[in-house]
Amino acid sequence: MSLRGLGVDPRCRCIETESRRIGKHIESVELFPPNSHCKDTEIIATLKITGKEICLDPTAPWVKKVIEKIIANKAP
Amino acid sequence: MSLRGLGVDPRCRCIETESRRIGKHIESVELFPPNSHCKDTEIIATLKITGKEICLDPTAPWVKKVIEKIIANKAP
């Protein structure tokens, strides 16, 4: 779940992360480096069709693989 | 330069990419995998302070390093 747009900035955007491997449903992925509002990197995926925003765990191997695939010019 | 929000979707968003190493100015990075509108991955960085959106080259080693740093929970 992402708190983005709910008027709770400046804080961390993610309160929980998705554990299921939802790579195939991802339309885009946004990466937020650590900053003064949130000490940990946050990754928010936007899903195809629904446009729903889902927080991903930056430490999960499958999330790293999804990002590596995208950088390598492949669909996740 | 990013064409996002200019009403030209669905097409590729980027018409040129930034060659300078602007990692330290990056607030967030958005990754768009290849899809039916654009055959190549696109990476759009949002800059601190100005909020300006800048397209990055997914094949540039410095861009890959910026993303790796963010995933590793470090500021780019």
Side-chain angles (χ1 to χ4, degrees):
Chain A
M1 183 182 174
S2 160
L3 292 176
R4 194 149 56 140
L6 292 181
V8 292
D9 287 359
R11 291 201 197 158
C12 293
R13 295 166 181 81
C14 295
I15 53 174
E16 59 184 10
T17 57
E18 176 63 56
S19 56
R20 287 169 296 177
R21 298 176 180 217
I22 56 166
K24 295 203 184 310
H25 302 286
I26 290 175
E27 174 86 31
S28 64
V29 180
E30 198 160 8
L31 312 175
F32 296 89
N35 58 37
S36 57
H37 307 319
C38 186
K39 72 178 179 59
D40 292 319
T41 286
E42 296 187 289
I43 301 181
I44 301 179
T46 300
L47 301 190
K48 298 171 185 169
I49 305 173
T50 62
K52 194 176 172 190
E53 295 188 334
I54 304 275
C55 289
L56 306 182
D57 178 1
T59 68
W62 75 267
V63 172
K64 293 182 184 180
K65 279 181 194 156
V66 161
I67 290 168
E68 282 163 10
K69 279 186 99 170
I70 296 174
I71 297 173
N73 211 23
K74 294 173 190 161
Chain B
M1 183 183 175
S2 160
L3 293 174
R4 194 149 54 139
L6 293 181
V8 292
D9 286 358
R11 291 201 196 157
C12 292
R13 295 167 180 82
C14 295
I15 53 174
E16 60 184 10
T17 56
E18 177 62 56
S19 56
R20 287 169 295 177
R21 299 176 179 218
I22 56 166
K24 293 202 184 310
H25 302 286
I26 290 175
E27 174 85 31
S28 65
V29 180
E30 199 161 10
L31 312 175
F32 296 90
N35 58 39
S36 58
H37 307 319
C38 186
K39 72 179 180 58
D40 293 318
T41 285
E42 296 186 290
I43 300 181
I44 300 179
T46 300
L47 302 190
K48 298 171 186 170
I49 305 174
T50 63
K52 194 176 170 190
E53 293 187 337
I54 304 276
C55 288
L56 306 183
D57 177 2
T59 68
W62 75 266
V63 172
K64 294 182 183 180
K65 277 181 195 159
V66 161
I67 291 167
E68 283 164 10
K69 279 186 97 172
I70 296 173
I71 297 172
N73 210 22
K74 294 173 190 164

